[in-house]
Amino acid sequence: MTERLKEELARIGDSVAPVYVAPDTWARGRRARRRDRVLVGAAALVLIAMVGGGVGLVRHESRETQPVEPADSDLVALPSRIWKVPEHVADQDQDGQWTGPVETDLAMGPASVAFVAAGRLPVLIGASDGRYHLLDLPGWLGEWDLYEAEGGIGVGLALSPDGTRLAYAWHGELPTSSTAPVPTGIRIIDLTTGKGRVALLSGGQGVVTTRLMWSPDGRWLAWTGLVAGHLSGAPSSAWYDAHLGGRINVTTMSAEKAKIRDSSAGLSINNDGTTAWLDRDRLAVWDGRHLTKRKIAFPNGLLDTPPTGAWSPDATSIAFGTFGSNAGLIPVEVATATNRQGLLLPDPPARDNLRRVQPLGWIDDTRVLAMVEQELPGRRAVSLVVISTPETRADDRLVTTTDFVTGEFLSVAVDLIDLDHPTADFPEPDWPWSTERQMVVGFGAAVGILWAGYWLFRWRRRLL
Amino acid sequence: MTDDEAFRVFVAARTHALSRTAYLLTGDHHLAEDLLQSAFLQAARHWERIEGHPEAYVRRILYTQNISWWRRKKYAELSLGEHDVPAAAGDPDLRLTLEDALGRLTARQRTVLVLRYFEDLTEAQTATELGIGLGTVKSMTRQALGRLRTLAPELAELIGVTP
């Protein structure tokens, strides 16, 4: 019978056009080969120098990230630039251990930004000192390889609007029985005390929280997730059976669930716990008991599923973000499910070649802090921009630039923005050196030692 | 013939065939392109050290790199859509169902199926290529076919009973 499977696979294969192979592949491969040889040579020289005890010049950085400038504990602000965490710091080794200097003491004070770095490492930026904290979060679901079945899912991580609490997708101890479900839920860390509380989410073999969104006052947390048909922590082994959403009362840590059509629907929650999901052209509003759904007509046939939305301070509208060349903010009036203001675009230059606009939260009645992704020539730019509504149109302001290529997993403490002084300049973190950098410096040191030795030898011969 | 020329001849001759395998492994034209490009780059890098025919070397990189990429989660973004190549003869609905179901297998399950039923390797050869045990290949094949059957019962005729 599997002959038919072979035939169908062959037919699929036959329908594939040959892929494009860059003409400089050979040249790039050979350049890489030459670099390999240089590195091996450098490593050999360093080894020789070390055996000779002459590598005092080789500076081996402490594996602690260095603190930035002395902090004024009263000053809290967003950083004017968000640096990318190097991959050699944010990766996992073969045993699943983080390669960078991770922290387990989570009593680090308020943070301004949270994001998930390459290698799925959660990172916080200190609000008062701009220091980068690489976190070893207990039960962080993101460290598991959960992407497989859905072709690419995110795992929830969100900083509260005031920057004092961090919520993330959590898993407990794996059960001894392979058929028993994995304890899963959402854990909230108080960044002042470092203590955490868990709201359990049950269903299937566990619930993987994919998105989290705080209410503006930080008393509620909305979430979307996937009910796992299989979840074990083994690489690439999870699959999912259903979509789920809900909210958590942060004071009591009680969790409520609602069945939703798509866990990638735009998620938002207001100060009384009313939760809304925008799934393409359908706005679902849920107050914990009643679920109402309304169809929305968007300008220009928008839109694709936006990750999150932000309720306005007066709770009358929700600003959702959109993707693609039509990227912008769409304020949707909750009572009527209408969009009367059209698409709000950031001012140039943040308007050029837009790829995605995602609201992070309202700063006041007329301004929204948004993450803006742009597809610029030769590079992708991600920045944080304050966008104003048309009624009280003020100039939009670019407040923070980043080194990221996607802002999908970026969460910002919106309350920390003071429009007179929206950001502070903090220096780039002093990351531990990569192996390659250590080799290059070692090679330079070894060459220096040999050169000095040669001249010392010649000088002594002249003296004799 | 210089190494450079030999490499170019090899790439020109085998790109089409290797593209099919890369596509079946990834289920996405753009990922397939990245995967094959990366494998060719590795071949160019280690050209003088490749023993035997370079195609075997490139294929092994395709198989292992595909699994490794998914583990390291380099691709958090979804594909924008299917590539627009003309469909071949056959039952297009069945083929689309099969493609969709394959896309919901794990990378390891999918790779094992491609090696067994597209590359026509034996279980022992598959185990050698992937550096895993024979028993693992057998159980993974069984799991993959079972999962296909669960995901798309209409494929039962294709899949038959679990080997």
Side-chain angles (χ1 to χ4, degrees):
Chain A
M1 292 292 254
T2 46
E3 283 305 317
R4 287 285 318 278
L5 178 59
K6 290 182 185 180
E7 288 167 16
E8 286 304 324
L9 285 173
R11 285 202 183 97
I12 294 171
D14 288 343
S15 71
V16 175
V19 306
Y20 170 77
V21 180
D24 66 344
T25 303
W26 172 259
R28 287 196 292 134
R30 300 319 293 171
R31 277 201 300 276
R33 182 78 188 134
R34 283 193 292 276
R35 276 199 303 275
D36 291 345
R37 286 178 174 147
V38 168
L39 283 175
V40 168
L45 276 172
V46 169
L47 190 64
I48 292 166
M50 287 176 77
V51 169
V55 285
L57 292 175
V58 179
R59 178 170 157 239
H60 191 102
E61 289 283 286
S62 153
R63 291 184 68 79
E64 289 286 321
T65 43
Q66 301 300 307
V68 295
E69 288 179 340
D72 173 355
S73 58
D74 293 332
L75 172 76
V76 286
L78 255 62
S80 57
R81 178 167 179 180
I82 302 175
W83 309 87
K84 184 181 172 187
V85 180
E87 285 194 25
H88 73 269
V89 176
D91 211 348
Q92 293 179 55
D93 62 21
Q94 289 183 333
D95 299 327
Q97 302 295 312
W98 299 113
T99 53
V102 290
E103 300 174 39
T104 52
D105 180 5
L106 304 174
M108 55 193 59
S112 57
V113 176
F115 62 93
V116 180
R120 307 190 291 272
L121 176 68
V123 179
L124 284 180
I125 302 177
S128 60
D129 56 7
R131 181 174 167 169
Y132 282 58
H133 300 273
L134 314 181
L135 305 179
D136 187 6
L137 292 175
W140 163 234
L141 251 177
E143 71 189 7
W144 285 359
D145 190 354
L146 299 169
Y147 292 80
E148 192 83 45
E150 294 297 312
I153 64 166
V155 175
L157 180 91
L159 189 60
S160 64
D162 63 359
T164 60
R165 286 159 296 165
L166 179 72
Y168 65 92
W170 171 89
H171 70 83
E173 290 284 322
L174 282 174
T176 48
S177 161
S178 61
T179 56
V182 178
T184 49
I186 295 164
R187 191 162 193 258
I188 299 177
I189 302 281
D190 183 326
L191 297 174
T192 310
T193 63
K195 292 181 178 166
R197 295 181 299 160
V198 171
L200 287 170
L201 300 176
S202 58
Q205 292 300 104
V207 176
V208 175
T209 309
T210 52
R211 281 178 188 155
L212 289 164
M213 187 74 186
W214 290 84
S215 64
D217 64 2
R219 291 191 296 126
W220 293 89
L221 195 60
W223 57 274
T224 56
L226 292 163
V227 179
H230 178 73
L231 188 66
S232 70
S236 310
S237 66
W239 70 72
Y240 308 99
D241 290 333
H243 300 264
L244 211 57
R247 65 181 185 181
I248 289 171
N249 182 323
V250 176
T251 309
T252 61
M253 290 302 282
S254 56
E256 296 169 274
K257 290 188 278 194
K259 208 164 189 177
I260 59 172
R261 194 168 64 172
D262 187 350
S263 62
S264 61
L267 174 68
S268 64
I269 187 164
N270 74 5
N271 288 342
D272 67 10
T274 304
T275 308
W277 293 275
L278 180 64
D279 182 2
R280 295 185 184 88
D281 61 349
R282 200 174 296 272
L283 181 71
V285 180
W286 179 63
D287 64 5
R289 293 190 303 275
H290 306 293
L291 182 71
T292 56
K293 294 179 185 173
R294 290 193 182 89
K295 199 164 184 178
I296 303 172
F298 285 109
N300 306 322
L302 289 172
L303 81 175
D304 203 352
T305 49
T308 53
W311 284 76
S312 62
D314 61 5
T316 58
S317 68
I318 308 170
F320 286 102
T322 63
F323 290 91
S325 55
N326 276 327
L329 288 181
I330 293 190
V332 175
E333 291 185 16
V334 181
T336 58
T338 54
N339 162 247
R340 287 191 298 179
Q341 294 173 318
L343 194 65
L344 303 186
L345 296 170
D347 286 342
R351 184 182 292 188
D352 302 334
N353 302 310
L354 285 169
R355 184 173 183 273
R356 179 208 302 252
V357 176
Q358 184 174 313
L360 299 169
W362 290 73
I363 298 168
D364 55 28
D365 291 342
T366 60
R367 280 170 284 212
V368 179
L369 179 69
M371 184 279 297
V372 173
E373 273 184 29
Q374 293 169 274
E375 194 76 61
L376 301 177
R379 70 189 177 95
R380 200 176 278 176
V382 177
S383 52
L384 304 184
V385 179
V386 175
I387 299 177
S388 306
T389 56
E391 292 88 355
T392 51
R393 186 75 188 170
D395 287 343
D396 293 350
R397 298 173 66 173
L398 177 88
V399 290
T400 296
T401 58
T402 80
D403 290 346
F404 298 160
V405 293
T406 174
E408 189 176 356
F409 304 114
L410 193 64
S411 177
V412 175
V414 180
D415 293 355
L416 302 188
I417 286 205
D418 170 358
L419 283 171
D420 293 331
H421 306 284
T423 58
D425 296 329
F426 298 111
E428 182 181 6
D430 197 2
W431 303 112
W433 289 6
S434 66
T435 308
E436 291 78 10
R437 189 176 175 191
Q438 288 176 26
M439 282 184 171
V440 169
V441 172
F443 176 71
V447 168
I449 290 167
L450 291 173
W451 188 253
Y454 169 73
W455 282 103
L456 182 66
F457 174 73
R458 285 192 59 174
W459 178 67
R460 288 197 60 179
R461 279 192 62 174
R462 268 212 301 268
L463 285 181
L464 294 173
Chain B
M1 191 184 294
T2 64
D3 283 350
D4 183 0
E5 288 164 347
F7 178 78
R8 288 179 202 283
V9 168
F10 163 65
V11 169
R14 301 308 300 158
T15 293
H16 199 171
L18 291 166
S19 298
R20 293 181 198 140
T21 303
Y23 179 76
L24 283 167
L25 288 171
T26 60
D28 178 282
H29 192 66
H30 300 292
L31 287 182
E33 187 167 311
D34 286 350
L35 184 62
L36 187 52
Q37 178 75 49
S38 170
F40 278 143
L41 192 64
Q42 288 299 316
R45 188 173 183 170
H46 302 295
W47 189 256
E48 65 274 18
R49 289 160 51 188
I50 296 174
E51 293 174 5
H53 199 279
E55 181 165 347
Y57 179 85
V58 170
R59 283 187 181 278
R60 182 166 293 179
I61 293 175
L62 290 180
Y63 308 147
T64 53
Q65 187 93 309
N66 180 47
I67 295 171
S68 158
W69 276 7
W70 279 104
R71 276 188 184 157
R72 289 172 56 82
K73 196 47 243 95
K74 293 295 184 193
Y75 295 98
E77 292 176 14
L78 290 168
S79 141
L80 292 176
E82 297 299 318
H83 62 103
D84 51 357
V85 293
D91 183 343
D93 288 341
L94 199 62
R95 207 170 57 241
L96 287 174
T97 306
L98 177 59
E99 282 202 62
D100 182 51
L102 283 172
R104 299 178 67 182
L105 298 181
T106 68
R108 277 157 62 98
Q109 288 172 342
R110 189 180 171 117
T111 303
V112 167
L113 280 194
V114 170
L115 264 64
R116 290 282 289 112
Y117 299 114
F118 179 70
E119 302 287 19
D120 228 5
L121 301 189
T122 64
E123 288 172 335
Q125 288 168 328
T126 303
T128 306
E129 286 292 329
L130 297 179
I132 57 179
L134 187 60
T136 309
V137 171
K138 285 180 180 173
S139 63
M140 209 172 284
T141 307
R142 201 165 44 242
Q143 286 167 8
L145 292 176
R147 180 116 181 92
L148 281 184
R149 204 176 292 114
T150 307
L151 290 168
E154 61 270 41
L155 296 177
E157 191 193 344
L158 250 69
I159 299 161
V161 293
T162 306

